Amino acid sequence: MRRAFIFSLVFAMVSITACGENDHPVLSEQHEQANGEENNENQETDMENSIIKLTVGGRSFTATLVNNSSTDALKEHLAQGDLSIRMNDYGDMEKVGSLGFSLPRNDRQTTTGPGDLILYQGSSLVIYYDTNSWNFTRLGHVDGVSTREEMLGLLGGTGEIILTLSLNKNQNEE
């Protein structure tokens, strides 16, 4: 409904200003102001929609998702409810666990770092606490993490964990 309204508003403004800026300078200025405000609102909404909550052992933190079809599909799954994933260490650089379903892949050569969230082979979630390079689908990054120690601290160290993913509270209310 909101998109239809915005589309109608933009279409009407484009139609009005199609006569030329010189013909309707006041309308053109109003269009620019409205368009700028609309873009700011869209950017804020996109940022809110790109944040998910991760919980391990009662400790919660957030991650900001990238914009791709993989993250869109993940958010659709999370809209149905929280997702718990059993994760284990692999190669002294990551924790990996099965999602239990597949997401669209957007694989490309990627070098990871601590805090990176990666989709592996379309059905496994990986959280990196060290570096690696391979063909992966980037999902996002844990907010505020830049070192191995920080990421391992949030994950509770090495060993098996249960990670719960959920939408940011604001997204659940929409």
Side-chain angles (χ1 to χ4, degrees):
M1 177 68 98
R2 182 176 173 199
R3 287 184 181 156
F5 173 75
I6 291 171
F7 177 77
S8 299
L9 180 64
V10 171
F11 181 75
M13 288 182 182
V14 169
S15 297
I16 290 170
T17 59
C19 298
E21 281 186 39
N22 295 333
D23 295 338
H24 302 288
V26 173
L27 291 177
S28 179
E29 182 178 320
Q30 289 172 345
H31 168 71
E32 289 173 13
Q33 288 174 345
N35 194 28
E37 290 170 7
E38 179 182 305
N39 285 338
N40 287 339
E41 288 176 16
N42 287 342
Q43 288 174 351
E44 289 173 15
T45 301
D46 288 346
M47 285 303 295
E48 288 174 7
N49 289 337
S50 66
I51 297 173
I52 60 170
K53 184 169 88 172
L54 296 85
T55 304
V56 176
R59 171 186 257 158
S60 294
F61 48 99
T62 60
T64 301
L65 300 177
V66 299
N67 185 16
N68 63 31
S69 61
S70 306
T71 57
D72 290 344
L74 177 60
K75 289 185 287 188
E76 286 178 24
H77 277 276
L78 294 177
Q80 305 304 312
D82 295 352
L83 174 64
S84 293
I85 305 166
R86 182 177 308 277
M87 302 184 83
N88 289 289
D89 296 290
Y90 180 79
D92 196 33
M93 64 182 158
E94 66 188 44
K95 290 202 184 281
V96 61
S98 174
L99 291 169
F101 53 87
S102 292
L103 295 173
R105 294 169 68 168
N106 292 282
D107 292 348
R108 67 177 67 149
Q109 185 64 34
T110 303
T111 299
T112 65
D116 283 339
L117 301 177
I118 299 293
L119 177 66
Y120 179 66
Q121 294 188 341
S123 61
S124 293
L125 177 71
V126 182
I127 300 179
Y128 276 87
Y129 49 85
D130 215 323
T131 59
N132 189 22
S133 186
W134 199 258
N135 278 331
F136 300 121
T137 296
R138 185 173 297 280
L139 296 176
H141 188 83
V142 174
D143 298 329
V145 170
S146 60
T147 68
R148 175 185 174 98
E149 292 75 24
E150 291 169 333
M151 193 66 249
L152 280 173
L154 290 175
L155 296 172
T158 58
E160 184 179 275
I161 62 167
I162 303 295
L163 173 78
T164 301
L165 300 176
S166 57
L167 289 177
N168 196 24
K169 183 179 180 187
N170 293 336
Q171 293 174 56
N172 287 334
E173 295 173 351
E174 289 181 358

